[in-house]
Amino acid sequence: MPDTKLGQRIKDIVIGRSRDLGDSGLFHKLSLVTMLAWVGLGADGLSSSCYGPEECFKALSSHPSLVLIVGALSAVTVLVLCASYSQIISLFPSGGGGYVVASKLLSPKAGVVSGCALLIDYVLTISISIASGSDALFSFLPPEYAGWKLATAAAGVGILTLLNLRGVRESVAICVPIFAVFLATHAFAIIYALVTHAGQLPGLVGETASAWQGAQSEIGFMGVMLLILRSYSMGAGTYTGIEAVSNGLPILREPRVRTGRRTMTLMGISLALTGTGLLIAYLLYQVTPQAGKTLNAVLFDNLTLSWGAPWGTTFVIVTLASEAALLFIAAQAGFLDGPRVLSNMALDRWLPTRFAALSDRFVTMNGVILMGGAALVILLLTRGSVGLLVILYSINVFITFTLSQLGMVRHWWQCRKTEPAWVRKLAINGTGLAMTSFILVTLTLEKFTEGGFITILVTALAVAGAIFIRRHYDYTGQQLKSLNTIVEAAEVMPAFDWTGANHAKGLRARTAVFFVNGFNGLGLHTLFSAMRLAGGPFKRYIFINVGVLDAGNFKGAEEVQKLRAYVDGESARYINWVQKRGGEAISLTALGHDVVVEADKLAAEAAERYPDVVFFGGQLLFNRETVFTRFLHNYTVFALQRRLFLRRQLFLIMPVCVETK
């Protein structure tokens, strides 16, 4: 007992105390307003300006003046993608992003491809954000500290995992000052660069034209076009993170659609201005890569060269520190949206259902732990190489981008007779489809042999695993459906002979308590099996039914009330069934995130009321049980049995045999 209390105290300190479902302001406390959503979800997009423009600028090699063309294309791409995802937000106000869009508008198979790509993308979001943040941090530290870079990145993953186990709002709120410093320092740097080079700005267009002609004389027209398109594609990291808002709608403050669209607007404008502004600043200061430094670090060094100490050094350190911190914050998108995609796919039975479960902080704890663990593994395997991670990251995110845009294009075409503005909406998503598919194909071909094949292979394996899991759940579900014929038969069963039931010896003389999860074949099978075991009806019946709060129904007070009404209604059907046949029955119900904890509380209440109770529960029994089947199905009954045995209560498990392929 002391160990349990000590463990609980440690948990309360590290993760936080359990939240009270009865708190009327619970959903208000958990949701994010526009500004917090911009920090928590928009940081992923804005932070890509720390490495996206750099990759884009480097790809131009000896023709840097062409960066104006690429910068304009990048800004347009960001704005088009934001407009496209704003339409997705309006069409899918419950969230889900690329997974839900592809599933609903294309097909479930397309949805699972998009979902798996998105999951891997969010794992890589965490990895690349932390790795890039470490690069920025060590850019202004002495070279002898470089050996600690990977360890620092690994520690960052661990800290963020713990923060997200505490809850969404808590993990985002502490990031607001860092986000503000990043915006202020980078806006100042870009404006300072433009103002101090104001005389050169009118001539940049002429320089670009001259650079085009010079490059064309060297490599030809097609060579120039390919160079620009390659640079545009290599800067694809700039566009990543835009989908985060559409995936994270359930955690936004009501009205969610308006909050989501406002967040998307802030993200699009800030990212377009920052990314394009940095590219122009690179050109104005003639920035060139330096070993051990990011291109932004080189830019800020050049920009403050004439300031003198300590102002120049202080500004560089503060700016790069804010970059490092924002990149750590950007990993939040992986922790916020990755578990949500996991839960959506789990609810659709593409993944183990445990990934839809909530902790006592109403966090998808299993998803957070999986995302953090997977990100840490990838970080260690790649040794924190941002260049390699960008390749893996960009390909996957554009798989989801392309499928989402394709689904929206199909939707607007199918709705052209009922949607007055279908032409404009189709044009937005059609343009987005053209851009994302081009980048996806270019990146895949360009980087396939440099590591791109790895992300494609891993995504394919994830899709295959999801299909295998879905087939198992479908097969098991079909077998359980056969039990539901009992429901129809039970409705027409005659009344029992209750003569002497109250005076019978053995089990029949006791109050029978049944753990059920709805008026279904499994519950009735358990009931009838127990009655056969006892040799007739029991003295009294109690039905314990716990409504599970998971990521599918924990979306607002209204959804919780619907779940409560459903649980009460299903329990009432058992009571009515017994009472129609002359018996005595009551139900005990509760809502919670942990079935075992809530059911145990109700069991204790039943035992206190009636000291002659005997408990019954149904359990699926596979003819060939494996680690796989144990992982995909819960064994709540066994956990309950252990708790009740410790209280010296009799608990009998009624097996329901299921064949496995």
Side-chain angles (χ1 to χ4, degrees):
M1 198 70 171
D3 290 340
T4 303
K5 290 183 178 179
L6 177 60
Q8 184 63 40
R9 284 199 296 269
I10 294 173
K11 176 260 176 190
D12 289 345
I13 294 171
V14 177
I15 298 177
R17 294 181 180 273
S18 302
R19 293 189 183 276
D20 181 13
L21 184 60
D23 183 357
S24 59
L26 177 61
F27 290 96
H28 184 82
K29 293 175 182 176
L30 294 177
S31 60
L32 302 178
V33 296
T34 301
M35 291 303 295
L36 286 179
W38 186 25
V39 175
L41 299 172
D44 183 23
L46 189 58
S47 68
S48 63
S49 63
C50 299
Y51 50 83
E54 176 173 347
E55 296 298 320
C56 172
F57 193 76
K58 286 179 179 178
L60 289 174
S61 58
S62 58
H63 304 284
S65 294
L66 296 176
V67 77
L68 282 186
I69 299 173
V70 180
L73 288 173
S74 298
V76 170
T77 302
V78 168
L79 296 176
V80 168
L81 287 177
C82 285
S84 299
Y85 272 93
S86 289
Q87 295 187 163
I88 290 175
I89 288 171
S90 298
L91 193 61
F92 294 93
S94 297
Y99 167 69
V100 173
V101 172
S103 297
K104 302 291 186 183
L105 302 184
L106 294 175
S107 71
K109 293 277 179 73
V112 76
V113 172
S114 180
C116 288
L118 203 53
L119 284 175
I120 296 169
D121 169 55
Y122 282 130
V123 171
L124 290 167
T125 293
I126 299 170
S127 300
I128 193 173
S129 297
I130 297 294
S132 188
S134 296
D135 280 358
L137 181 64
F138 281 84
S139 287
F140 62 84
L141 292 177
E144 55 266 25
Y145 290 101
W148 290 93
K149 186 186 296 185
L150 187 59
T152 302
V157 173
I159 292 170
L160 281 175
T161 301
L162 285 178
L163 280 175
N164 281 276
L165 289 174
R166 293 184 66 88
V168 172
R169 192 179 179 91
E170 288 81 354
S171 61
V172 171
I174 64 173
C175 302
V176 173
I178 297 168
F179 191 82
V181 172
F182 177 91
L183 281 178
T185 53
H186 285 67
F188 176 82
I190 292 169
I191 293 171
Y192 181 85
L194 295 177
V195 170
T196 55
H197 293 76
Q200 299 179 29
L201 295 180
L204 286 182
V205 176
E207 289 181 18
T208 302
S210 300
W212 177 287
Q213 293 175 354
Q216 185 172 335
S217 64
E218 290 181 27
I219 55 178
F221 176 78
M222 286 305 299
V224 176
M225 292 299 297
L226 290 174
L227 179 63
I228 290 174
L229 293 177
R230 181 177 182 276
S231 173
Y232 169 69
S233 299
M234 291 303 99
T238 307
Y239 325 124
T240 55
I242 290 175
E243 82 294 337
V245 179
S246 65
N247 287 323
L249 278 178
I251 61 174
L252 302 189
R253 180 72 54 85
E254 295 284 4
R256 289 172 180 161
V257 171
R258 186 175 67 182
T259 303
R261 289 175 68 92
R262 286 178 175 176
T263 304
M264 186 64 73
T265 300
L266 287 173
M267 181 195 293
I269 293 173
S270 59
L271 178 56
L273 291 177
T274 305
T276 306
L278 287 173
L279 285 173
I280 295 174
Y282 293 160
L283 182 61
L284 292 174
Y285 280 93
Q286 300 178 354
V287 173
T288 56
Q290 293 182 19
K293 287 190 174 185
T294 64
L295 217 56
N296 281 3
V298 178
L299 169 65
F300 300 139
D301 280 340
N302 292 352
L303 185 141
T304 60
L305 199 60
S306 61
W307 292 14
W311 303 109
T313 304
T314 302
F315 179 80
V316 172
I317 291 175
V318 170
T319 305
L320 290 177
S322 73
E323 277 195 3
L326 185 73
L327 284 159
F328 280 104
I329 294 172
Q332 274 298 98
F335 283 112
L336 295 182
D337 284 344
R340 188 156 300 279
V341 176
L342 273 169
S343 64
N344 284 333
M345 295 182 71
L347 291 169
D348 290 339
R349 299 298 190 267
W350 292 108
L351 294 175
T353 53
R354 66 184 65 216
F355 286 114
L358 298 175
S359 70
D360 58 5
R361 298 283 297 175
F362 296 103
V363 171
T364 46
M365 182 176 67
N366 292 328
V368 170
I369 293 173
L370 177 66
M371 299 303 290
L376 181 60
V377 169
I378 290 178
L379 197 65
L380 296 176
L381 289 177
T382 60
R383 306 293 298 173
S385 170
V386 174
L388 177 57
L389 287 169
V390 165
I391 296 169
L392 303 178
Y393 178 43
S394 301
I395 290 177
N396 252 35
V397 74
F398 277 93
I399 292 174
T400 300
F401 276 171
T402 302
L403 289 173
S404 298
Q405 299 303 323
L406 179 61
M408 292 296 288
V409 166
R410 184 186 183 194
H411 170 74
W412 297 128
W413 179 253
Q414 291 176 336
C415 296
R416 63 188 183 279
K417 294 182 179 179
T418 57
E419 173 57 57
W422 73 273
V423 174
R424 176 179 59 82
K425 294 180 177 180
L426 178 66
I428 292 174
N429 287 118
T431 305
L433 175 61
M435 289 177 168
T436 56
S437 56
F438 170 79
I439 294 173
L440 174 61
V441 172
T442 305
L443 275 176
T444 304
L445 294 176
E446 178 78 24
K447 297 298 183 180
F448 185 81
T449 57
E450 296 179 26
F453 72 94
I454 297 175
T455 191
I456 296 172
L457 177 61
V458 172
T459 303
L461 290 174
V463 171
I467 292 173
F468 184 74
I469 291 171
R470 176 64 178 268
R471 284 180 178 175
H472 172 83
Y473 278 131
D474 286 347
Y475 182 77
T476 305
Q478 288 171 4
Q479 293 202 311
L480 289 177
K481 275 184 180 179
S482 63
L483 287 177
N484 288 335
T485 56
I486 300 176
V487 177
E488 298 176 6
E491 298 291 356
V492 297
M493 288 179 66
F496 296 112
D497 179 11
W498 295 83
T499 305
N502 293 337
H503 304 287
K505 294 181 179 180
L507 289 176
R508 290 180 62 189
R510 307 184 73 167
T511 297
V513 182
F514 294 89
F515 295 100
V516 297
N517 64 348
F519 192 77
N520 51 36
L522 180 60
L524 289 171
H525 182 279
T526 305
L527 173 62
F528 297 155
S529 296
M531 292 174 66
R532 283 196 299 271
L533 180 67
F538 291 90
K539 173 184 176 181
R540 186 183 296 108
Y541 293 82
I542 300 176
F543 297 96
I544 290 179
N545 195 359
V546 177
V548 181
L549 287 166
D550 58 26
N553 51 43
F554 191 71
K555 296 179 179 177
E558 185 178 342
E559 292 294 323
V560 173
Q561 291 304 318
K562 285 181 181 178
L563 177 61
R564 193 182 300 277
Y566 171 78
V567 170
D568 291 341
E570 291 294 285
S571 301
R573 294 180 68 182
Y574 281 106
I575 296 173
N576 293 336
W577 187 88
V578 173
Q579 290 177 344
K580 282 182 180 179
R581 286 152 185 82
E584 177 188 348
I586 64 170
S587 68
L588 298 174
T589 63
L591 300 185
H593 70 281
D594 191 322
V595 178
V596 174
V597 171
E598 299 301 328
D600 185 40
K601 291 178 183 177
L602 297 178
E605 181 181 341
E608 186 177 350
R609 286 195 200 181
Y610 307 100
D612 60 344
V613 294
V614 56
F615 295 91
F616 295 93
Q619 175 61 47
L620 297 182
L621 181 64
F622 294 93
N623 64 332
R624 292 194 305 274
E625 190 175 63
T626 64
V627 173
F628 180 71
T629 57
R630 285 195 293 270
F631 185 68
L632 293 184
H633 299 275
N634 71 68
Y635 288 81
T636 302
V637 170
F638 295 122
L640 279 170
Q641 185 185 53
R642 182 179 182 278
R643 290 192 176 208
L644 295 178
F645 277 0
L646 290 173
R647 294 207 299 266
R648 304 297 188 269
Q649 298 287 350
L650 180 59
F651 191 132
L652 300 177
I653 295 177
M654 302 290 104
V656 179
C657 294
V658 178
E659 290 187 5
T660 53
K661 288 184 176 180

